[in-house]
Amino acid sequence: MKIIDILNKREMSLSFEVFPPKKESSFETVEATTEEIAACHPAFMSVTYGAGGGTSKYTMEIAKNIMDKYNVPTLAHLTCVSSSREAVHEKIEQMKQLGIKNVMALRGDLTPELEKTDPSTWDYKHATELVRELKEMGDFCVGAACYPEVHPDSVNQKDDLTHIKEKVEAGAEFLTTQMVFDNNLFYNFMYKIREIGVTVPVIPGIMPITNANQVERAIKLSGSFMPQRFKSLVDYFGNDPEAMKQAGIAYATDQIIDLYANGITNVHVYSMNKPDVAKTIMENLSNILGKDFNR
Ligand code: FAD
């Protein structure tokens, strides 16, 4: 099933993200956790490509496994900046063979090694190029990333918004945001993106922080703003793992409920291979999910 068809249903839903194993030896552990998350029957699951510590090697395998075993639609991520055109095309062909229908087209981060090289020698500079090629090469539903707090490489927000619009014009059918901890930043971004004429669904990304150590990593990774309300929670409960986990899940659930109540029907949860977190959030929303309160 294509993700755009799920989004167009306008029913309250959640999607979860998983990442492939760091090492071959942990493949089975990751496979088991992704299966537990799939058993929660989210609207779809995304599988990252070389992000969050995972490798890019198993993205497609995991995505196909979730689809075949659990009938949960999957979104396979693909990055391009550090790859040759030939290697990217090979991946796209593999996706077609595996029956993968949904792809998140990403540039990927610029590594220090890559930054030392001449950009004119790179086969890809921006995600837009990958979006365009995916649309040309197969019948894919393509998603792309966006950044309510502006991508760190951007000159300014206006410029960043222009490039997001280009990704949509190249064929991206939906956008997923970088993690946000303050919903007002997301609402503000929605206003700006609609104002420049981007009409595709935008899925807010919510990261449940379940231990204090995760906070620093999440800020480093995303540069996202942490509201005082969230910082107080980490300060107060951070030293008690069980309390922190409960408080972090409650905070994320509260964000999701606020998003639903403001007309956002699909929310993406950066569930980070944690089935217990995915299950608890699903339970917290059991009387809300799957409904259309506008009917
Ligand atoms: P782009 O859309 O290319 O944008 C990158 C920067 O270039 C922005 O500042 C943009 O404004 C600018 N830009 C775009 N087009 C142009 C242009 N034509 N001229 C000048 N400037 C331009 N990383 C992974 O490695 N694996 C993953 O699985 C992964 N999943 C992600 C999922 C989501 C939802 C998000 C939000 C991020 C994810 N990332 C992942 C991280 C992502 O790869 C990085 O944030 C990366 O630095 C930018 O990727 P992008 O696709 O947004 O790039």
Side-chain angles (χ1 to χ4, degrees):
M1 185 171 200
K2 288 195 172 166
I3 284 167
I4 190 62
D5 296 326
I6 298 168
L7 302 178
N8 284 340
K9 280 193 207 162
R10 308 253 332 125
E11 282 176 357
M12 309 281 166
S13 74
L14 283 183
S15 51
F16 290 126
E17 182 156 300
V18 294
F19 57 84
K22 289 176 196 152
K23 296 182 291 211
E24 209 156 312
S25 56
S26 40
F27 180 77
E28 277 170 19
T29 318
V30 171
E31 197 180 32
T33 56
T34 58
E35 287 183 7
E36 270 189 72
I37 296 178
C40 296
H41 296 289
F44 68 88
M45 281 171 70
S46 67
V47 188
T48 66
Y49 189 84
T55 65
S56 53
K57 199 171 160 198
Y58 298 108
T59 301
M60 288 186 236
E61 203 175 326
I62 292 173
K64 179 157 172 57
N65 189 34
I66 295 167
M67 232 166 32
D68 290 352
K69 264 184 146 164
Y70 289 90
N71 204 19
V72 172
T74 50
L75 172 64
H77 291 202
L78 182 64
T79 66
C80 59
V81 75
S82 56
S83 304
S84 67
R85 197 171 300 279
E86 196 188 351
V88 168
H89 285 194
E90 203 178 302
K91 289 280 176 198
I92 298 175
E93 288 304 332
Q94 276 174 25
M95 285 180 175
K96 286 204 284 196
Q97 278 163 19
L98 291 172
I100 287 171
K101 288 263 164 261
N102 305 291
V103 186
M104 186 72 170
L106 299 143
R107 181 193 73 175
D109 283 326
L110 303 179
T111 58
E113 298 78 58
L114 196 63
E115 280 185 301
K116 283 185 209 139
T117 63
D118 177 1
S120 68
T121 62
W122 305 350
D123 280 355
Y124 298 88
K125 290 191 188 60
H126 300 291
T128 312
E129 298 155 51
L130 180 59
V131 172
R132 197 169 291 122
E133 287 190 354
L134 279 159
K135 294 305 282 185
E136 281 165 7
M137 289 179 67
D139 179 26
F140 295 113
C141 168
V142 178
C146 63
Y147 304 81
E149 297 173 65
V150 186
H151 188 278
D153 295 353
S154 298
V155 195
N156 54 42
Q157 187 166 40
K158 192 164 174 255
D159 199 61
D160 201 22
L161 287 167
T162 307
H163 297 311
I164 292 171
K165 193 173 181 188
E166 284 164 6
K167 286 199 271 200
V168 173
E169 286 166 351
E173 285 158 84
F174 67 93
L175 299 164
T176 306
T177 78
Q178 180 59 281
M179 58 187 86
V180 280
F181 296 95
D182 179 345
N183 288 357
N184 288 328
L185 294 169
F186 173 76
Y187 299 135
N188 204 328
F189 173 73
M190 286 303 289
Y191 172 76
K192 290 180 180 160
I193 205 156
R194 296 295 185 234
E195 200 177 37
I196 61 160
V198 173
T199 56
V200 296
V202 183
I203 312 177
I206 299 297
M207 163 80 97
I209 299 282
T210 52
N211 70 69
N213 300 334
Q214 227 184 318
V215 177
E216 213 173 295
R217 273 204 312 275
I219 298 179
K220 201 168 154 214
L221 192 77
S222 65
S224 302
F225 167 72
M226 300 266 173
Q228 189 52 48
R229 196 166 82 84
F230 183 75
K231 284 195 216 153
S232 305
L233 179 154
V234 179
D235 284 348
Y236 205 76
F237 300 114
N239 288 333
D240 182 323
E242 287 307 312
M244 182 60 226
K245 187 170 165 186
Q246 197 164 46
I249 293 175
Y251 186 92
T253 305
D254 187 47
Q255 272 192 284
I256 298 168
I257 291 174
D258 178 70
L259 288 161
Y260 288 156
N262 280 284
I264 308 298
T265 46
N266 306 93
V267 179
H268 189 60
V269 179
Y270 290 106
S271 46
M272 308 291 289
N273 299 9
K274 292 181 186 153
D276 49 339
V277 173
K279 273 185 217 161
T280 310
I281 294 181
M282 287 301 256
E283 280 161 20
N284 288 347
L285 300 167
S286 58
N287 290 325
I288 294 174
L289 292 169
K291 293 184 184 168
D292 176 354
F293 291 89
N294 292 320
R295 271 187 201 140

